[in-house]
Amino acid sequence: MKPFREGHGWAIYNADCVEILAGLPDDSIDASIFSSPFSSLYIYSDSERDMGNSASHDEFLEHHAYMARELFRVMKPGTVICDHVKDTVFYANSSETGESGLYPFSDAALANYQKAGFVLRARTTIWRCP
């Protein structure tokens, strides 16, 4: 796939992350900065390829784990990824139990990255006012 923008020694892709990763060679990326898909928080399209269209958090996390493994494969050893993730709030009657609370998506994403081989070096919380 052709980069969205590119220059000497860099490229920016604006496309499906799984398709892009599958086409990249092993150990070829110096840094990756992105916002991975968010389970059921957003549905970006009606495509079955859209990870947000998963039937459950577990199904979504299977897809996310595949992305994490592919990302680890293409990253050069010792390089860094920066993934913007968000814990999601579920309101009364919107969870499986009917209770309200917080789904710690950042922890689930981190577990996938660690299973793929990444090491957590830092975590930053950005507070926001809804």
Side-chain angles (χ1 to χ4, degrees), residues 15-115:
D16 183 278
C17 63
V18 175
E19 291 176 359
I20 292 293
L21 290 170
L24 295 174
D26 293 359
D27 303 328
S28 61
I29 304 298
D30 292 304
S32 184
I33 302 165
F34 60 97
S35 179
S36 63
F38 289 88
S39 191
S40 62
L41 180 62
Y42 300 113
I43 296 175
Y44 299 95
S45 73
D46 59 0
S47 170
E48 63 184 22
R49 293 177 17 227
D50 186 338
M51 283 196 242
N53 288 332
S54 298
S56 67
H57 285 298
D58 290 339
E59 182 181 88
F60 171 84
L61 290 172
E62 283 182 53
H63 297 295
H64 187 274
Y66 174 82
M67 180 208 61
R69 289 189 303 271
E70 281 295 292
L71 186 59
F72 187 77
R73 178 187 64 78
V74 303
M75 298 301 296
K76 291 179 181 175
T79 56
V80 175
I81 66 167
C82 299
D83 184 5
H84 166 260
V85 296
K86 174 183 173 178
D87 294 332
T88 56
V89 175
F90 50 91
Y91 300 98
N93 299 317
S94 68
S95 71
E96 293 173 2
T97 62
E99 298 177 56
S100 59
L102 184 69
Y103 174 68
F105 176 65
S106 60
D107 293 342
L110 174 59
N112 277 342
Y113 291 129
Q114 289 176 322
K115 281 186 233 168

